[in-house]
Amino acid sequence: MMTNANIEINGNIVYYDTRVMQFNSVYAGTRAEFDVYFRLRRDCMRCRRCKTELRSDDEFCYHCGERTTIIQRMVASRMFIGSIIAIVLVAVIAVAAWLILTDRLALPFLEHGNKPDTPVVEQSDEPENTAGAVPSATETPEPTATPYVFEPGDVTEDMEEEIKPLLVRTRPFLAFGASYYARRYRPFKWDDVSASAMALYRLQFADKTIKYGDSYSSIKKKAGKEIKDVFGGKYKFRLATRGSFPDYVFLRSGNTIRFNSSSVSNRKYQMDIEKIIQYKEGKYRIVVKACLVSRTTGQEDTAQQYTLFVVKNESSTYGYTIDKIRLYKKGDKKSDK
């Protein structure tokens, strides 16, 4: 079988293609020049088995019959290579344009052309009058920042609704003990035992989340959380076995806790906010009046005024926590303290 070959006829190089049994092209030149011409003008590849030179569109080797692969034909095709190069160039140009338009790529020659022109100041022949010069009406003086200066004052209207969720937690216990303190039956103090009694009273008689018979550990856990929510980390859960009111209101009894006083019946807890004074940045003095009120007649029992010292606490449940509580003193409503 005759393979593809080039022969010389009358001084011309002729390429004979055995696949179609005819001469395909005539080239006037030397054999060396033809070899170069042949490889430059055609897309070529070689058979993997016999290394015969093939064209890029040959699916089989005409010498040994080996099948060519798609990848071989694609790589040998100049059109394919040209397409790849074109795609890469378009992608590079697109990325460069995006970087420039989004200011992610700074081009010095572009920035130089965008520099604002330096304003030209006209020179006057008249001498400058610096003494007693009057600023022009068009000149705007530079604003000066006014330093913040805290001033204590009455913030009742601004703070009443915001602070109410915290104060509601104290209402039942302060109303319950109002008559004791107003009639001076018991001296007032505030410590861990007082804070624990307030938390237990709220949970048992208002929230009704604890009761006599619950395990001591369960009651302690719930009361501890209430103390932390209302007072922050200032007070801890502690009970007393004796002492003055309200120390003995709640006592441990075996593996539970019992209420050691007369329960409130047919009366509701009432507490009104009378004044909120911000005496320091983030610190407030709140005066309230609490008492028990008859559910049938609406008559108020003996009321007592308290002063609650509250601090702003962004990490707390209510945004504020109570620092301490005391009986109201004259002057607690003044804002000049």
Side-chain angles (χ1 to χ4, degrees):
M1 177 180 179
M2 184 177 179
T3 61
N4 287 10
N6 53 77
I7 60 177
E8 185 174 346
I9 302 176
N10 296 327
N12 294 326
I13 304 302
V14 179
Y15 179 78
Y16 181 79
D17 193 340
T18 58
R19 288 171 294 182
V20 294
M21 295 299 182
Q22 66 181 11
F23 293 99
N24 274 352
S25 57
V26 177
Y27 178 81
T30 64
R31 185 176 299 278
E33 291 174 338
F34 177 80
D35 291 340
V36 175
Y37 162 76
F38 177 81
R39 286 170 173 77
L40 289 178
R41 67 180 291 272
R42 304 182 63 85
D43 300 336
C44 301
M45 61 180 177
R46 289 188 179 276
C47 175
R48 293 181 299 172
R49 177 182 295 176
C50 66
K51 308 303 179 185
T52 300
E53 192 171 51
L54 306 173
R55 292 188 301 187
S56 63
D57 57 351
D58 289 336
E59 294 187 12
F60 297 91
C61 174
Y62 57 81
H63 184 265
C64 67
E66 177 74 8
R67 186 184 185 92
T68 61
T69 64
I70 295 178
I71 295 178
Q72 275 184 292
R73 297 194 294 274
M74 290 174 62
V75 172
S77 173
R78 289 185 181 179
M79 183 178 296
F80 172 76
I81 296 175
S83 299
I84 294 298
I85 295 174
I87 292 172
V88 172
L89 287 177
V90 171
V92 170
I93 294 172
V95 172
W98 177 77
L99 292 175
I100 293 173
L101 293 176
T102 56
D103 294 333
R104 287 177 169 82
L105 180 63
L107 299 179
F109 63 87
L110 291 179
E111 294 179 355
H112 179 72
N114 293 332
K115 288 185 177 179
D117 296 335
T118 304
V120 179
V121 180
E122 295 182 359
Q123 299 294 331
S124 175
D125 296 335
E126 297 180 1
E128 183 179 0
N129 181 19
T130 57
V134 179
S136 172
T138 59
E139 295 180 359
T140 303
E142 295 184 1
T144 56
T146 303
Y148 170 75
V149 178
F150 169 77
E151 293 184 2
D154 184 352
V155 293
T156 306
E157 292 185 4
D158 298 331
M159 294 292 301
E160 185 171 1
E161 291 302 319
E162 185 176 348
I163 206 76
K164 188 174 291 184
L166 173 67
L167 302 185
V168 165
R169 308 303 299 178
T170 68
R171 180 172 58 194
F173 187 73
L174 294 182
F176 168 72
S179 61
Y180 289 89
Y181 301 127
R183 297 166 184 170
R184 299 295 187 269
Y185 289 164
R186 299 287 188 272
F188 184 89
K189 66 181 183 64
W190 197 260
D191 56 12
D192 290 341
V193 175
S194 306
S196 300
M198 173 176 285
L200 291 169
Y201 196 92
R202 174 75 204 189
L203 296 176
Q204 181 165 341
F205 295 104
D207 296 351
K208 301 186 184 302
T209 55
I210 65 172
K211 64 181 184 299
Y212 176 76
D214 291 346
S215 67
Y216 177 81
S217 59
S218 173
I219 296 175
K220 181 180 178 180
K221 181 178 180 180
K222 293 179 180 179
K225 183 180 182 304
E226 177 72 9
I227 293 171
K228 184 177 180 181
D229 290 344
V230 176
F231 301 102
K234 191 173 180 64
Y235 300 97
K236 304 297 181 183
F237 180 80
R238 185 166 66 89
L239 297 179
T241 57
R242 59 181 182 177
S244 60
F245 181 87
D247 291 355
Y248 59 85
V249 172
F250 287 94
L251 299 175
R252 180 167 182 174
S253 178
N255 191 34
T256 189
I257 294 177
R258 64 183 177 89
F259 180 62
N260 190 39
S261 183
S262 301
S263 60
V264 176
S265 59
N266 198 31
R267 286 180 292 181
K268 61 181 180 179
Y269 309 106
Q270 178 173 296
M271 187 173 76
D272 299 320
I273 299 175
E274 295 187 340
K275 190 78 70 174
I276 302 177
I277 302 297
Q278 187 175 15
Y279 63 95
K280 286 184 179 180
E281 187 72 28
K283 294 187 176 183
Y284 305 87
R285 194 169 57 248
I286 304 176
V287 178
V288 300
K289 183 176 75 171
C291 64
L292 296 174
V293 179
S294 173
R295 294 184 181 274
T296 55
T297 64
Q299 183 177 357
E300 296 182 357
D301 287 358
T302 304
Q304 172 62 48
Q305 287 179 303
Y306 301 91
T307 301
L308 288 70
F309 292 84
V310 176
V311 296
K312 191 170 184 62
N313 187 346
E314 297 289 352
S315 62
S316 64
T317 303
Y318 304 104
Y320 299 86
T321 53
I322 298 175
D323 194 47
K324 68 176 180 178
I325 301 176
R326 75 181 185 195
L327 297 183
Y328 170 76
K329 292 183 179 180
K330 185 178 180 179
D332 284 347
K333 293 183 180 181
K334 294 182 180 180
S335 60
D336 57 350
K337 291 187 65 176

